[in-house]
Amino acid sequence: MKKMYMISIMVLLSFTTIAQIDATLLKRVTQDTVAMKLNMDAVYNRPFLTMAKIPVALGGYVEANWQHLGTDGISEGHQFQMRRLTLFVASSIYKRIKFLSEIEFEDGTKEINIEFASVDIEFHPLFNLRGGIVMNPIGSFNQNHDGPKWEFIDRPISATQMLPATWSNVGFGVFGKLYRKEWVYAYEMYLTNGFDDQIVSNEENKTFLPASKKNPDRFEESFNGVPLVTAKVALGKRQVGEVGVSYMGGVYNKFQDDGLVIDKKRRVHVFALDFSTTLPFLSTWLNAEAAWVKVDVPNTYSQHYGRNQMGAFVDLVQPVFKGTVFGFERSVLNVALRTEYVDWNKSRFEETGTHIREDVLAVVPGLSWRPTAQTVIRLNYRYQWQTDLFGNPASKTAGFQIGFSSYF
Amino acid sequence: MKRHAFLFSFGMVFIVFQACEHFEPVAPAENALLDGPVEGLSPAENIRFLKGDVAFNDDVFTASNGLGPLFVATTCGTCHPGDGKGHPFTTLTRFGQYDGTGNQYAHLGGPQLQHRALPGFAPEVLPDNVGFSKLTPPANTGLGFLDAVRDADIMAWADPNDNDGDGISGVPNWIVMKEYITARDGTIEHEGKYIGRFGKKAAAYDLHQQTAQAYNEDIGITSTYEPMDTHSGLLIDPEITDQTIHDVVFYLKTLKAPIPRAAHRDEIISGKAVFEQIGCAKCHRSEMKTGDSPIAAIANKTFHPYTDLLLHDMGADLDDGYTEGSATTSEWRTPALWGLGLSKFSQGGDYFLLHDGRAKSIDEAILWHGGEAANARAQYKSLTSTEKNKLIQFLESL
């Protein structure tokens, strides 16, 4: 019991120590707030620190939390998690040549990933070249995934367990933007290395695009020599919001090896729709993403591995208080609600003609407090129903999570 | 303001830490679940149980750890979800044996059809004009108790010549023992053959054989016990350790027996009386005892499985023209009825009863009974609807 009080006090203390960093040593680069930002700008739209005259800007964010979740009466107990530490380094190499990299340490040092490392050359606002490790612009979350931007401790299931966020690959591409009065039009298109056959052969026992992230060679060679195409168009209106439509597709299997045919070419297609807006009157922020996956799974393989998937999340964030709390003059308290759903196998059993399930539904109400825009302290309560392939009674998981995420 | 905010945040954190477990889903009642260990395992036995549980439910086979190339499913748990009966998606097909002379189609992939294959490989197809059975996965609960029944008891229930004249003549399936199996104490031999007790035709001697064959034929995983690759027919390196097989066998042996629900309700007590009156219990024996066992929790225990572990001729309607061991094509081992009422919670909400899942309700399953059970079926049909109802409620309470 004593432990509990200690922990509560520590959590509270950590709220106050954030204010004690001497901010005068480092200069914060203020973000360009006049130009309208889209999800595609998220990589640069971050707080960076610069020192004296060095042309390199540094930044990063950290996320940590406590949680106490239980499934069908079996509790995991108290868990303290260091979900991620991410470092960004950006530099302006020359006039319109920029470099940015993002390195992420997940779950301590269990996973270390280069999420992004690319050089951008601007020839014209409508025509920029980008090469290196890029984040494939599928949906909005993949590009705009920084912890401090979200009111929820868990990343959306549809974005990380169906779509493979964060999903970056080596490749090249072009992007551009056009501003017309209140509107901005944007496009992106990349050719990168792609998926491999682990998407239909993995320990999740279901079609699982994120399984390809386990391939350690994917930054060095393509699994089958066929590029993955990712393309997105987005439309934004100042004060209103943004919609994006994106596609990603390619061949995922090895159809020949050493010149010998070992299978036919099998494709994966992903479509995504994203939308965000601030609703009038109450300034409720609504952010949603939906995606559809289609995979050519051989007929003679198992229906266990779904050919069609669908997933979505909708976040609603309602600011309920703006003002001074603990001396933070511009702090904001929000109530938030996430609803998310994924169906990993949208089809019918050949044997019975009934729906194959393998789906999850979750609702996550939460409270978040932002002492500044860059830092969020969040309390979430998750309730989740997970149904197996056959539609047997769902296993239920629920519990509280408390954590913070902050840029530094 | 500051004080309010402080009190509010302190209060929130305090409440969440204090009360977190109350906001988590409660466990389903013990008797609503089939999985879980038998009571009274030692800590060391619990550790082995958990290892077997992981191997049975969580170890997913893929091309990279041995799956196939030909297979039917990718884990044990897919076919036996929550240790309950399986869904028709996991029904498997066996073919090519008509009598005690063995399988005539081994050269064409018999006895088991592996109708799924890794990409690039062609799965097996059923040869033309061959007798075959479809088999829906049974529940795995309480198998350790059935495994620990003495051969002598099973022999005592058999009545091959129907000496008591009740029309029911249970016989054991006499099978050839696999060379890797260690016989039970007091096992009974008959012309070099032994009593099988697992599987729908009772063609597996014990859980070790059942497990090694399941890995091999259902998932395409070879072991030192069953080293033949079902695709190439070659003896290949083991794809799973002996230890894992032993852990899974231990897990199967120590799964609890299903716990009846509402056994004390009047309708259920009278339903049970009807069950005995009309002769169901002659095959679906309600009570038996285990012999000695190295696992104290299952040694010398009385239990209630509703089977006699014997084969019965079930008539022409249930004769698919396929068999195993010394059983005839119309003979099936009496399935245990314990856990029957929970079947639909592992079969996706519907019942798929009998060996091939053809019966969509308990009533339908009873009406398919023929052969030695024709008399029991006739008696069932002549029950009033209230009596039938009570009988079914009793069966659902098991």
Side-chain angles (χ1 to χ4, degrees):
Chain A
M1 199 64 264
K2 224 165 144 190
K3 233 189 319 184
M4 301 277 191
Y5 295 113
M6 286 296 291
I7 293 164
S8 323
I9 287 165
M10 275 160 62
V11 170
L12 284 167
L13 279 180
S14 66
F15 289 21
T16 46
T17 48
I18 293 166
Q20 290 169 8
I21 300 163
D22 183 354
T24 55
L25 292 176
L26 303 161
K27 184 167 152 256
R28 251 179 212 287
V29 179
T30 45
Q31 286 301 314
D32 171 7
T33 48
V34 183
M36 206 189 136
K37 297 294 179 200
L38 298 175
N39 284 308
M40 69 181 279
D41 303 310
V43 279
Y44 285 105
N45 184 22
R46 291 161 156 166
F48 283 100
L49 292 171
T50 52
M51 276 164 283
K53 288 196 174 117
I54 304 172
V56 173
L58 292 178
Y61 69 88
V62 60
E63 280 189 284
N65 66 283
W66 159 90
Q67 67 179 30
H68 198 292
L69 295 175
T71 302
D72 294 336
I74 298 173
S75 178
E76 288 174 19
H78 298 277
Q79 308 278 338
F80 295 89
Q81 303 177 311
M82 177 70 195
R83 299 234 175 159
R84 46 188 75 78
L85 169 70
T86 299
L87 304 171
F88 328 125
V89 179
S91 65
S92 284
I93 301 169
Y94 189 71
K95 284 182 190 165
R96 283 168 287 133
I97 307 181
K98 286 192 286 190
F99 169 79
L100 187 133
S101 67
E102 174 179 348
I103 295 175
E104 183 165 284
F105 299 82
E106 287 207 332
D107 302 331
T109 51
K110 204 165 92 186
E111 265 190 62
I112 303 171
N113 296 311
I114 303 177
E115 303 266 275
F116 193 85
S118 72
V119 174
D120 290 359
I121 307 173
E122 182 181 332
F123 296 100
H124 181 276
L126 257 180
F127 190 74
N128 301 257
L129 210 57
R130 172 175 285 175
I133 295 180
V134 303
M135 269 180 302
N136 301 60
I138 185 75
S140 56
F141 183 86
N142 198 45
Q143 286 181 309
N144 197 359
H145 61 252
D146 289 1
K149 292 191 174 162
W150 299 80
E151 316 310 308
F152 302 93
I153 290 167
D154 286 326
R155 291 178 160 189
I157 304 176
S158 61
T160 56
Q161 304 289 303
M162 185 186 81
L163 296 183
T166 45
W167 173 239
S168 23
N169 285 288
V170 194
F172 294 89
V174 290
F175 62 92
K177 271 196 286 191
L178 181 68
Y179 291 92
R180 279 287 173 277
K181 291 190 187 147
E182 299 284 282
W183 295 87
V184 52
Y185 306 86
Y187 78 93
E188 290 177 87
M189 166 146 170
Y190 303 98
L191 297 181
T192 62
N193 283 347
F195 292 100
D196 64 13
D197 57 11
Q198 291 185 78
I199 69 173
V200 296
S201 177
N202 57 62
E203 285 172 13
E204 296 285 324
N205 217 7
K206 58 183 174 233
T207 298
F208 193 63
L209 302 194
S212 283
K213 294 202 287 182
K214 285 208 172 152
N215 179 354
D217 297 329
R218 71 194 176 93
F219 292 109
E220 175 202 349
E221 59 176 349
S222 163
F223 186 64
N224 52 25
V226 181
L228 180 74
V229 179
T230 314
K232 177 166 183 178
V233 289
L235 175 68
K237 187 171 187 213
R238 196 184 304 280
Q239 314 283 324
V240 179
E242 170 181 355
V243 287
V245 179
S246 44
Y247 166 81
M248 172 166 79
V251 172
Y252 71 85
N253 69 332
K254 196 166 244 158
F255 47 90
Q256 63 179 31
D257 201 2
D258 226 10
L260 299 181
V261 173
I262 53 177
D263 198 358
K264 66 168 216 180
K265 283 186 188 167
R266 299 190 183 278
R267 294 186 176 273
V268 49
H269 302 284
V270 184
F271 305 90
L273 212 64
D274 58 83
F275 176 69
S276 66
T277 186
T278 306
L279 301 175
F281 307 121
L282 289 173
S283 313
T284 313
W285 190 62
L286 184 153
N287 186 34
E289 176 183 294
W292 293 262
V293 176
K294 240 180 137 48
V295 182
D296 175 8
V297 181
N299 274 332
T300 50
Y301 195 45
S302 181
Q303 270 199 297
H304 221 121
Y305 287 101
R307 291 161 163 263
N308 295 293
Q309 304 183 320
M310 192 270 161
F313 70 89
V314 180
D315 286 2
L316 285 167
V317 180
Q318 178 63 56
V320 288
F321 173 80
K322 289 185 190 182
T324 307
V325 180
F326 298 135
F328 292 98
E329 297 88 5
R330 296 169 65 190
S331 81
V332 181
L333 181 71
N334 298 302
V335 294
L337 177 71
R338 167 174 293 164
T339 311
E340 50 183 341
Y341 175 74
V342 180
D343 185 343
W344 283 275
N345 200 332
K346 277 179 74 66
S347 56
R348 288 168 180 274
F349 284 113
E350 281 162 15
E351 290 78 6
T352 55
T354 51
H355 279 292
I356 302 181
R357 291 290 298 268
E358 193 84 88
D359 52 45
V360 67
L361 170 71
V363 285
V364 190
L367 278 178
S368 71
W369 180 59
R370 292 181 175 272
T372 83
Q374 281 87 17
T375 302
V376 58
I377 292 163
R378 0 180 222 213
L379 165 75
N380 295 167
Y381 175 71
R382 167 172 288 276
Y383 207 102
Q384 180 172 314
W385 295 263
Q386 180 125 25
T387 306
D388 71 0
L389 210 59
F390 311 114
N392 290 317
S395 86
K396 299 189 216 79
T397 300
F400 280 104
Q401 302 171 302
I402 300 178
F404 70 88
S405 184
S406 181
Y407 284 113
F408 51 79
Chain B
M1 184 62 231
K2 198 161 179 165
R3 220 175 96 224
H4 284 129
F6 180 81
L7 285 175
F8 176 74
S9 20
F10 187 83
M12 288 302 291
V13 172
F14 183 78
I15 290 168
V16 166
F17 267 83
Q18 280 289 305
C20 43
E21 257 168 81
H22 298 289
F23 293 91
E24 293 175 13
V26 294
E30 191 58 26
N31 62 8
L33 289 178
L34 290 173
D35 57 357
V38 56
E39 245 174 73
L41 294 185
S42 67
E45 288 172 330
N46 278 332
I47 291 169
R48 286 192 71 189
F49 177 88
L50 289 170
K51 281 171 81 179
D53 191 355
V54 168
F56 189 91
N57 288 302
D58 303 342
D59 282 357
V60 173
F61 289 93
T62 63
S64 60
N65 61 0
L67 177 67
L70 306 183
F71 64 94
V72 185
T74 54
T75 70
C76 306
T78 309
C79 294
H80 305 283
D83 296 301
K85 281 194 187 3
H87 184 271
F89 170 66
T90 57
T91 289
L92 49 83
T93 304
R94 297 212 189 119
F95 62 93
Q97 181 173 345
Y98 307 117
D99 52 31
T101 59
N103 199 291
Q104 310 300 318
Y105 279 75
H107 61 295
L108 290 176
Q112 190 158 309
L113 185 75
Q114 280 90 25
H115 67 293
R116 298 191 172 112
L118 293 180
F121 289 83
E124 291 176 347
V125 285
L126 200 60
D128 290 337
N129 307 319
V130 68
F132 66 91
S133 276
K134 292 206 170 273
L135 304 174
T136 301
N140 282 329
T141 42
L143 295 183
F145 291 95
L146 294 174
D147 185 62
V149 171
R150 281 178 291 249
D151 273 5
D153 288 349
I154 300 179
M155 285 307 290
W157 303 325
D159 182 13
N161 304 316
D162 193 15
N163 291 335
D164 62 4
D166 62 355
I168 295 177
S169 57
V171 288
N173 192 349
W174 295 104
I175 56 160
V176 179
M177 180 103 91
K178 293 266 184 178
E179 68 292 350
Y180 56 80
I181 297 298
T182 315
R184 294 180 187 84
D185 282 346
T187 201
I188 293 172
E189 191 203 321
H190 172 70
E191 297 173 353
K193 295 192 174 165
Y194 296 82
I195 301 174
R197 60 178 84 183
F198 294 107
K200 311 248 172 175
K201 295 273 188 188
Y205 180 81
D206 66 1
L207 296 167
H208 185 174
Q209 179 186 353
Q210 186 76 42
T211 300
Q213 283 183 347
Y215 272 117
N216 187 235
E217 294 175 9
D218 302 353
I219 315 184
I221 297 297
T222 56
S223 59
T224 55
Y225 306 114
E226 295 287 347
M228 194 176 87
D229 174 38
T230 50
H231 173 61
S232 63
L234 300 173
L235 304 182
I236 63 168
D237 295 332
E239 292 165 323
I240 193 177
T241 63
D242 292 0
Q243 184 63 53
T244 302
I245 297 229
H246 295 313
D247 290 341
V248 170
V249 171
F250 187 85
Y251 168 76
L252 292 168
K253 278 191 182 172
T254 48
L255 279 171
K256 72 176 192 226
I259 305 165
R261 294 156 304 286
H264 304 297
R265 274 195 7 232
D266 286 347
E267 310 86 274
I268 293 191
I269 293 168
S270 43
K272 183 172 184 188
V274 175
F275 183 78
E276 275 157 14
Q277 244 162 39
I278 64 174
C280 309
K282 289 198 168 159
C283 301
H284 298 284
R285 282 186 82 84
S286 71
E287 187 172 299
M288 53 182 77
K289 272 209 197 83
T290 58
D292 292 332
S293 164
I295 304 164
I298 54 180
N300 303 303
K301 292 272 176 344
T302 301
F303 63 103
H304 305 276
Y306 299 91
T307 172
D308 55 2
L309 297 172
L310 293 170
L311 299 171
H312 297 276
D313 183 334
M314 294 300 285
D317 287 345
L318 290 172
D319 184 345
D320 301 330
Y322 168 77
T323 195
E324 293 169 3
S326 65
T328 65
T329 50
S330 60
E331 281 179 335
W332 296 97
R333 191 208 72 180
T334 314
L337 297 180
W338 58 8
L340 185 67
L342 299 178
S343 303
K344 54 174 187 270
F345 303 123
S346 62
Q347 297 188 301
D350 295 310
Y351 280 115
F352 295 96
L353 301 178
L354 297 177
H355 64 272
D356 53 4
R358 69 176 76 177
K360 304 287 151 52
S361 66
I362 294 178
D363 174 64
E364 209 184 304
I366 301 170
L367 295 176
W368 277 105
H369 282 54
E372 294 173 37
N375 188 25
R377 180 192 52 195
Q379 295 208 45
Y380 171 75
K381 282 169 98 170
S382 65
L383 294 177
T384 65
S385 65
T386 354
E387 285 168 326
K388 274 189 191 165
N389 209 343
K390 286 177 181 166
L391 174 66
I392 294 194
Q393 283 193 48
F394 160 68
L395 292 169
E396 282 191 317
S397 78
L398 292 178

